[in-house]
Amino acid sequence: MDNNQDKVLNEVTQGEYKYGFVTDIDTEKIPVGLNEEIVRLISAKKNEPEWLLEFRLKAFRHWQTMKMPSWANLKIPEIKYQDIIYYAAPKQRVAPESMDDVDPELKKTFEKLGIPLEEQKRLTGVAVDAVMDSVSVKTTFRETLAEEGIIFCSFSEAVREHPSLVQKYLASVVPYTDNFFAALNSAVFSDGSFCYIPKGVRCPMELSTYFRINAANTGQFERTLLIADEEAYVSYLEGCTAPQRDENQLHAAVVEIVAERGAEVKYSTVQNWYPGDREGRGGIYNFVTKRGICKGESSKISWTQVETGSAITWKYPSCILRGDNSVGEFYSVAVTNNHQQADTGTKMIHLGKNTRSTIVSKGISAGLSQNSYRGLVKVVKKADNARNFSQCDSLLLGDRCGAHTFPYIEVDNQSAVVEHEATTSRIGEDQIFYCNQRGISTEDAIGLIVNGYAREVINKLPMEFAVEATKLLQISLEGSVG
Amino acid sequence: MNNSFLLQIKDLKATIDNKEILKGLNLEVKPGEIHAIMGPNGSGKSTLASVLTGREIAQVTHGSVSFDGKDLLSLSPEERAREGIFLSFQYPIEIPGVSMVNFMKTAVNEQRKHRGLDPLSASDFLKLMREKKELVEIDSALTNRSVNEGFSGGEKKKNEIFQMAMLEPRLSILDETDSGLDIDALRIVANGVNKIRKPDTSVIVITHYQRLLDYIVPDVVHVLYNGRIVRTAGKELALELEERGYDWIKREADNVEA
Ligand SMILES: Nc1ncnc2c1ncn2[C@@H]1O[C@H](COP(=O)(O)OP(=O)(O)O)[C@@H](O)[C@H]1O
Ligand SMILES: [Mg+2]
């Protein structure tokens, strides 16, 4: 029986990564390594104001005093921070005025990834900021959005055009002292997206950023800042891919969300960085700090993530529920296969009264992978009537992978109601055979079972991306069950 | 000659965990025939069903099986299903999270693909579901749930027959579909099977009891004992077994072996 299981497992884990190509394009890179000179150089490349350089330098000095966190359930090989190139940019005019100014190779790359930069080819109702390596290549539909007073542009541009907004909110949710990777990002971040939705505006289309790593031996350190002013609404989605390489590459991003009174932000991620090969060679280290603050009363932040890529994932999109009656949500599907490792989850910090949070985490482990859920629900003394519901499920494919759950609950207020449910299940050979006997192949059977299992989370994604995410789930588990 | 058989099993031997369970079994089923296979517990009836459907638990060590002229043992389980072999499981499996609709749609369309047909449109598929539900008198609520999840024993068996109706197999193997059913459920299930049958489709009914055979009337009755078919006769054999039990068959067979 074990033999059979191994055989089927091997078959199902042969999925190919479909985005592993490299774009042959002239890339401007700065010297390898990290020191104050490099930080100054990055800032100078971007013609940044003095205050931002100061911010970077303070972050860098602080980072030097810090150690990489070791509490996660991850085996991280030593990362040689001096061997990384911290800035790489495709050689083209930084801010193309029109599509004609965008390098055709870049256009082709994003087209191949299913992200055409021409507005007329885009899915209707989705504006996109395309980022390759350290710079934003093109942001679509800016004019349409500007009519509503919405700002959606690359981070660098926001620094130039809207310095006061950036200065007000940058690091207001994730200070550079927060953690090792946040400090590193604050020192060397290159580009990312910036978004501001003014008071009372419902953003008329999905906003999205597509991150692409292309250059070798570089890190990607993007920074995203999303602000929804009072009574505003926005749904935002990010996607990411990277070439197939034998070396690991570091991706350490920071995302900050601010929701003012009555605002609602939906933030969705479809993470598909290169996961490494079947033997565990290569792949992206995805060490990301994402946090939102429900600053005003009755505001809401909702994180949805479908995580299928990366060799190692360390990521806890969180909500600080400061406003009374504010709501935080976290919906996650994390798939690990082969030698992938993931330690992911969320933190819900209840500060205001009548705050509510929901956590739904679905882990799927296959191959030799390790998949951990780590979550904190914290209710402070003043947070009367806080409510939390957490559901953490693990699905195992085969018997050589691991699923782990680390829920932390800290409650300082008697009126709080905190509920936690957890299940672990396994796709059984008998379930697969039952499907086979009805004419359904093993791969399709796994697809059916996994999609059924993840549906509650997938349904939270914007429609256009739910289909893609469903396919992605199946591809990342292709070839994997017993 | 062989072409006149839908299923032809020759001198089949199979092991589970290196223990021989089927010890040289022969069986020939013509299109349109109903065969009953009876026999005491542990004789190898379900093992035969496993071998025919390709469940890997049983290892074939000897013999051959042809289905419609094809070498059945060289086909994968899903290929056998698409060729038209259907098993109503003795113990149907629960698949939480997978809706009956999705499950059946995938199964039906895989089979259509195998036959070179386009997938059914959503509305045609739902229409087919409705028709077949009525045919086998299955409760609508069941098909709105996950596959077999939380179904009672009887509901699971009805659901097997519903799936049989959806897939219209050429050879159906009903493995103790009657066990655990009360008399009303038994009649519904048996009527369903009779309604699904076409002139050229065959059925192998595995059962302990005569009572199912009152409804699904067999052309041939076999007794499987200790891995071999030890007796084959017409439907009157089932009645005889009902009256006399299996001990006399066991004694006879054991004497032959000794
Ligand atoms: N999963 C299994 N593991 C080990 N032995 C099995 C298994 N299934 C069946 N057997 C053995 O095979 C023999 C025949 O069983 P089975 O085919 O289920 O008989 P029947 O269906 O006629 O009652 C029995 O001795 C039984 O113990
Ligand atoms: Mg049996």
Side-chain angles (χ1 to χ4, degrees):
Chain A
M1 281 233 275
D2 283 348
N3 261 345
N4 172 38
Q5 187 143 349
D6 284 354
K7 198 185 92 196
V8 184
L9 251 167
N10 284 339
E11 277 166 17
V12 187
T13 33
Q14 277 161 358
E16 293 288 324
Y17 186 71
K18 298 196 165 62
Y19 310 92
F21 64 90
V22 180
T23 306
D24 186 12
I25 193 166
D26 269 353
T27 302
E28 178 194 3
K29 289 181 181 173
I30 62 168
V32 66
L34 184 55
N35 51 49
E36 278 205 20
E37 280 318 297
I38 292 286
V39 175
R40 286 176 194 280
L41 186 57
I42 293 170
S43 187
K45 287 246 167 251
K46 306 175 85 65
N47 292 318
E48 282 175 355
E50 193 57 29
W51 63 265
L52 194 49
L53 174 61
E54 275 312 307
F55 171 78
R56 288 176 181 276
L57 288 172
K58 272 193 276 181
F60 177 68
R61 286 167 200 148
H62 188 74
W63 178 74
Q64 286 180 302
T65 69
M66 300 174 91
K67 278 202 167 64
M68 234 172 90
S70 57
W71 43 261
N73 187 23
L74 299 170
K75 289 203 183 79
I76 306 174
E78 193 197 341
I79 297 172
K80 300 207 170 71
Y81 290 93
Q82 294 306 334
D83 293 353
I84 295 172
I85 296 168
Y86 286 83
Y87 182 90
K91 271 186 194 157
Q92 69 152 7
R93 292 179 50 190
V94 174
E97 293 297 317
S98 75
M99 268 321 285
D100 301 336
D101 297 339
V102 177
D103 186 308
E105 275 302 314
L106 284 179
K107 272 193 244 180
K108 255 199 281 179
T109 298
F110 281 98
E111 206 139 311
K112 223 161 136 182
L113 296 168
I115 316 289
L117 301 179
E118 282 95 342
E119 291 181 2
Q120 59 273 26
K121 287 196 194 167
R122 291 288 306 156
L123 289 166
T124 49
V126 182
V128 75
D129 182 20
V131 177
M132 188 189 276
D133 295 328
S134 305
V135 296
S136 168
V137 173
K138 164 88 183 154
T139 312
T140 63
F141 289 110
R142 298 181 37 163
E143 291 75 17
T144 321
L145 293 168
E147 285 167 21
E148 307 258 6
I150 295 167
I151 305 169
F152 181 45
C153 61
S154 74
F155 201 94
S156 314
E157 208 176 333
V159 171
R160 286 194 302 274
E161 310 282 326
H162 311 281
S164 57
L165 273 175
V166 176
Q167 203 167 0
K168 177 175 172 194
Y169 289 107
L170 177 70
S172 69
V173 193
V174 181
Y176 64 77
T177 50
D178 189 82
N179 70 70
F180 183 84
F181 298 112
L184 177 62
N185 174 286
S186 302
V188 302
F189 73 90
S190 34
D191 217 335
S193 301
F194 176 84
C195 168
Y196 173 81
I197 317 288
K199 271 183 199 172
V201 172
R202 273 189 79 85
C203 186
M205 54 178 79
E206 301 282 342
L207 301 187
S208 82
T209 302
Y210 194 91
F211 295 103
R212 173 72 179 171
I213 293 179
N214 187 56
N217 306 318
T218 60
Q220 176 140 328
F221 306 93
E222 81 268 1
R223 185 116 196 164
T224 298
L225 182 49
L226 220 153
I227 301 137
D229 215 325
E230 294 177 7
E231 307 291 339
Y233 167 85
V234 65
S235 168
Y236 182 95
L237 183 125
E238 61 174 7
C240 29
T241 56
Q244 200 156 337
R245 292 207 171 88
D246 282 348
E247 306 80 41
N248 297 103
Q249 275 179 284
L250 177 63
H251 168 253
V254 171
V255 174
E256 297 178 277
I257 300 176
V258 179
E260 299 285 2
R261 182 179 54 76
E264 179 178 351
V265 177
K266 276 184 70 157
Y267 194 105
S268 313
T269 303
V270 176
Q271 189 266 107
N272 187 23
W273 294 119
Y274 177 55
D277 67 13
R278 303 186 65 204
E279 275 71 49
R281 263 190 311 264
I284 303 294
Y285 293 158
N286 188 35
F287 302 152
V288 171
T289 307
K290 291 182 167 173
R291 194 175 302 149
I293 182 163
C294 287
K295 215 169 158 185
E297 214 176 291
S298 303
S299 53
K300 177 175 175 182
I301 294 177
S302 189
W303 298 99
T304 304
Q305 57 173 22
V306 174
E307 303 273 316
T308 60
S310 298
I312 305 178
T313 296
W314 177 99
K315 176 181 170 188
Y316 315 90
S318 302
C319 299
I320 301 169
L321 304 171
R322 197 171 87 188
D324 291 346
N325 305 310
S326 61
V327 176
E329 293 177 338
F330 174 75
Y331 296 96
S332 169
V333 176
V335 180
T336 53
N337 196 355
N338 299 318
H339 291 263
Q340 281 177 281
Q341 305 176 62
D343 193 299
T344 183
T346 184
K347 288 189 269 188
M348 293 290 172
I349 314 292
H350 294 254
L351 305 179
K353 294 183 179 37
N354 304 315
T355 47
R356 281 175 292 142
S357 63
T358 304
I359 299 173
V360 176
S361 162
K362 305 265 181 181
I364 302 172
S365 339
L368 298 165
S369 69
Q370 295 294 328
N371 200 327
S372 302
Y373 166 80
R374 186 181 304 277
L376 169 68
V377 176
K378 188 182 167 96
V379 178
V380 302
K381 216 176 197 143
K382 290 181 299 180
D384 291 337
N385 298 316
R387 296 281 179 273
N388 164 267
F389 174 73
S390 302
Q391 171 81 50
C392 302
D393 298 330
S394 307
L395 184 65
L396 297 163
L397 287 75
D399 53 11
R400 296 180 298 168
C401 49
H404 318 272
T405 321
F406 304 99
Y408 304 89
I409 297 171
E410 296 171 17
V411 176
D412 275 333
N413 184 309
Q414 293 281 326
S415 64
V417 178
V418 176
E419 291 172 90
H420 179 89
E421 287 176 10
T423 67
T424 300
S425 52
R426 199 178 278 280
I427 297 188
E429 267 175 67
D430 49 356
Q431 291 176 324
I432 300 288
F433 179 72
Y434 192 76
C435 295
N436 291 159
Q437 213 302 303
R438 301 305 187 237
I440 301 168
S441 69
T442 298
E443 263 178 30
D444 289 343
I446 292 162
L448 273 175
I449 295 170
V450 163
N451 283 319
Y453 170 79
R455 192 165 45 216
E456 190 182 351
V457 174
I458 301 280
N459 283 349
K460 297 286 172 187
L461 287 175
M463 259 262 272
E464 296 88 330
F465 301 99
V467 180
E468 196 185 318
T470 303
K471 273 192 240 147
L472 197 54
L473 280 185
Q474 191 153 351
I475 291 166
S476 35
L477 290 167
E478 226 160 69
S480 78
V481 163
Chain B
M1 273 289 269
N2 295 0
N3 291 342
S4 60
F5 294 112
L6 179 61
L7 179 74
Q8 190 171 39
I9 303 176
K10 284 188 183 159
D11 201 19
L12 181 68
K13 297 181 183 172
T15 59
I16 294 181
D17 292 345
N18 294 321
K19 188 178 145 209
E20 188 160 77
I21 308 293
L22 299 181
K23 302 176 179 173
L25 187 145
N26 295 286
L27 182 67
E28 290 173 339
V29 179
K30 287 189 185 140
E33 285 182 343
I34 298 184
H35 287 234
I37 297 183
M38 306 183 75
N41 267 329
S43 300
K45 302 186 295 295
S46 293
T47 304
L48 176 61
S50 295
V51 168
L52 293 179
T53 52
R55 197 168 194 162
E56 288 206 16
I57 178 155
Q59 299 291 312
V60 173
T61 53
H62 185 84
S64 66
V65 180
S66 80
F67 179 72
D68 196 19
K70 291 192 182 75
D71 173 13
L72 188 69
L73 300 179
S74 69
L75 301 180
S76 69
E78 59 269 32
E79 285 165 340
R80 297 179 198 196
R82 292 171 197 159
E83 282 290 324
I85 291 186
F86 179 89
L87 172 63
S88 168
F89 283 66
Q90 183 173 0
Y91 304 107
I93 309 296
E94 301 192 7
I95 313 180
V98 178
S99 70
M100 272 303 295
V101 173
N102 254 345
F103 180 69
M104 278 303 16
K105 193 156 69 187
T106 310
V108 166
N109 284 334
E110 282 301 323
Q111 199 186 51
R112 290 179 64 86
K113 191 160 84 188
H114 186 70
R115 296 178 185 165
L117 300 170
D118 287 334
L120 284 181
S121 70
S123 66
D124 285 348
F125 175 76
L126 291 174
K127 201 170 130 230
L128 183 69
M129 286 266 288
R130 248 192 329 270
E131 273 171 32
K132 302 297 184 182
K133 267 194 295 209
E134 278 169 27
L135 189 71
V136 300
E137 299 177 53
I138 187 172
D139 188 352
S140 255
L142 291 184
T143 55
N144 291 332
R145 290 172 33 195
S146 292
V147 180
N148 291 324
E149 193 186 21
F151 287 25
S152 71
E155 287 169 341
K156 283 181 182 167
K157 296 297 173 78
K158 276 194 206 170
N159 191 25
E160 295 291 286
I161 302 307
F162 166 69
Q163 293 177 45
M164 177 179 162
M166 290 293 289
L167 293 168
E168 300 187 336
R170 291 199 282 168
L171 173 67
S172 306
I173 305 163
L174 310 183
D175 192 355
E176 300 208 22
T177 299
D178 51 343
S179 66
L181 295 186
D182 61 34
I183 192 72
D184 292 330
L186 183 82
R187 199 162 40 222
I188 289 173
V189 161
N191 284 340
V193 172
N194 287 331
K195 281 189 251 177
I196 296 161
R197 278 185 64 213
K198 302 231 171 79
D200 59 342
T201 60
S202 308
V203 183
I204 295 177
V205 185
I206 296 173
T207 182
H208 280 295
Y209 307 106
Q210 154 64 24
R211 60 173 198 171
L212 180 63
L213 304 179
D214 287 340
Y215 300 98
I216 305 174
V217 181
D219 299 296
V220 189
V221 175
H222 309 272
V223 177
L224 178 59
Y225 173 62
N226 198 11
R228 286 193 189 93
I229 287 182
V230 295
R231 188 169 283 246
T232 297
K235 61 176 184 256
E236 66 287 350
L237 177 57
L239 287 167
E240 193 178 355
L241 290 168
E242 179 88 349
E243 263 166 43
R244 299 178 60 191
Y246 287 109
D247 283 351
W248 62 282
I249 297 251
K250 286 187 193 171
R251 264 195 308 276
E252 271 184 30
D254 292 342
N255 284 339
V256 171
E257 217 161 294

